Amino acid sequence: MERLPLMLVGCGLMGARHLRGQAELERACPGHLELVAVVDAVADHAARVAAEAAELFGRRPAVYTDLTQAIAQSGAVAADLVTPNRTHDAVAVQLLQAGIHVHLEKPFAVTVARGRRILAAQPPGVVLAVAENNRRDPGNRLCQAIVASGLLGAVTFAQQLSFSGGAQVVGTPWRHRLAQGGLPLDVWLHHAYLLELLAGPLAAVQAVGALVQRERLWKPPEGSSQTVVCEGLDTCTAALQFASGATGAWVHHFATAGYGRFERLLVGTAGTLQAPADRGGRSPVVLRPEGNLEGAALLAALPDYQLNPVETALWGARPAGYQYESAVTDRKLIAAELADFIAAIRDGCPPEVPGELGLRSVAVIYALLESVAAGRAVTVDDVLAGRVDAVQRQVEAAGG
């Protein structure tokens, strides 16, 4: 199998993680890709990632600080795009218009309008896939199989609760910048994908929210601690209405003091699913009147459940759970999403998360935020159509 010539566009923290995911894919299933170039406007970032690539692959990719030059000279036919959120639309449009297949790190764009510009630039036959890694978690794959099997009956209610955060920066300071979409468009977005994956499309939300932790402490890898001024919401509580008629509750609180909790729950007419935390490695649990199912007993009830060949190479054919360090889990999930992207290019099939789904996840998050701002229920369709966009206009202005 001929390796796909790939460029990595964006060599920051997440870009380095994608590099390790590329290497994990080649380790588990050789022959998928050849990293021919790395691109970053900051030369030191590109050089650092190129040096790590040389260690991982035994070959140093070409280094570029100019994307136009990389497109013309590198020989890459596909790009793994991992630049800052606010640049996604401009960089993706340039790549797509050049006929380069694009694997775009989430969020798809910082506003729906920007996302629509990306979709409009996609030529026929050019693949556009969105990197949503947590849906590839074996625990979430197993949850998909549980819902599809009918063990729950018809889903009537879904609940997503997340409590964490304290007074520390969540990951990196840009996650707290309104111009980049803030915490909702980065962290909450994962939950939007998974709620709709398991319970079906959301129709409308009614939400309230607040910014609780206005300053957070950031400890960079080098140097002294810094105080980061936070923007946007860090807490939100919403009532959900799904297109199926199911209802739900969605709570995020990333400013708790001494308390953490995660719960993803699907209530059906025949049973209830307690989903594991993303990347936690635990087995889902199905609670039923006749007895609960988890681990080996759950697998026995799902004889047809099996991961695809690449994910089998990464995790095993029928995992009910796993035990890996977080860095290993991270690169396996990225490897799985990259494999799907490359298969879409080679086979001419749609990727698991196409651009349209990436845009929808952005609209779901903005339905929450627009509902908070408007003080009323907001439909996802109204956000997708641009009929409700007050918060998105604030995001645009914040980057002005």
Side-chain angles (χ1 to χ4, degrees), residues 76-358:
V77 301
D80 192 6
L81 200 172
V82 203
T83 57
N85 293 357
R86 201 172 179 85
T87 67
H88 283 185
D89 53 316
V91 179
V93 165
Q94 183 179 355
L95 289 164
L96 291 167
Q97 289 179 339
I100 303 291
H101 304 287
V102 174
H103 179 249
L104 175 56
E105 178 56 48
K106 61 88 188 160
F108 187 61
V110 294
T111 65
V112 169
R114 287 175 180 247
R116 289 207 174 280
R117 287 199 287 274
I118 298 174
L119 289 180
Q122 183 182 6
V126 175
V127 173
L128 172 59
V130 184
E132 171 43 47
N133 46 29
N134 283 352
R135 70 191 287 135
R136 331 277 176 163
D137 188 301
N140 290 327
R141 291 297 199 207
L142 188 49
C143 287
Q144 286 179 264
I146 290 166
V147 174
S149 73
L151 278 175
L152 304 182
V155 174
T156 62
F157 182 85
Q159 178 169 277
Q160 173 70 60
L161 305 178
S162 300
F163 295 88
S164 64
Q168 306 296 318
V169 163
V170 181
T172 60
W174 65 258
R175 280 180 164 165
H176 301 279
R177 302 299 187 205
L178 185 60
Q180 299 288 352
L183 281 172
L185 214 57
D186 184 67
V187 181
W188 306 3
L189 194 78
H190 287 295
H191 303 158
Y193 272 113
L194 287 161
L195 275 172
E196 292 207 319
L197 179 69
L198 298 175
L202 272 165
V205 303
Q206 175 96 45
V208 293
L211 173 58
V212 174
Q213 197 69 48
R214 296 182 178 273
E215 292 186 348
R216 291 176 183 260
L217 187 66
W218 181 46
K219 297 181 179 179
E222 299 177 359
S224 57
S225 298
Q226 304 173 25
T227 297
V228 172
V229 177
C230 302
E231 304 162 349
L233 304 185
D234 56 13
T235 68
C236 186
T237 300
L240 309 178
Q241 179 68 61
F242 290 88
S244 66
T247 58
W250 193 358
V251 179
H252 290 276
H253 199 302
F254 283 83
T256 60
Y259 178 72
R261 181 183 174 190
F262 178 97
E263 182 175 87
R264 183 175 297 134
L265 195 71
L266 268 72
V267 179
T269 54
T272 297
L273 169 63
Q274 289 182 329
D278 304 321
R279 303 166 177 255
R282 297 177 65 92
S283 170
V285 180
V286 175
L287 302 102
R288 304 182 303 164
E290 59 269 37
N292 298 344
L293 297 171
E294 64 179 308
L298 182 56
L299 292 179
L302 299 168
D304 297 329
Y305 164 68
Q306 183 167 330
L307 297 180
N308 66 44
V310 170
E311 292 178 12
T312 292
L314 291 165
W315 307 95
R318 285 168 50 83
Y322 58 86
Q323 290 183 329
Y324 293 107
E325 294 181 355
S326 60
V328 176
T329 298
D330 186 66
R331 64 180 188 245
K332 286 179 179 290
L333 295 174
I334 293 171
E337 67 188 12
L338 284 165
D340 176 74
F341 169 61
I342 294 168
I345 296 170
R346 286 177 170 162
D347 302 336
C349 58
E352 181 175 343
V353 187
E356 291 81 0
L357 185 53

Side-chain angles (χ1 to χ4, degrees), residues 111-113 205 362-363 365-393:
T111 65
V112 169
V205 303
V362 171
I365 292 302
Y366 275 117
L368 289 177
L369 302 180
E370 300 286 1
S371 176
V372 172
R376 62 175 176 84
V378 169
T379 69
V380 176
D381 284 348
D382 276 348
V383 176
L384 276 170
R387 292 187 289 268
V388 180
D389 67 351
V391 175
Q392 293 168 83
R393 284 186 272 115

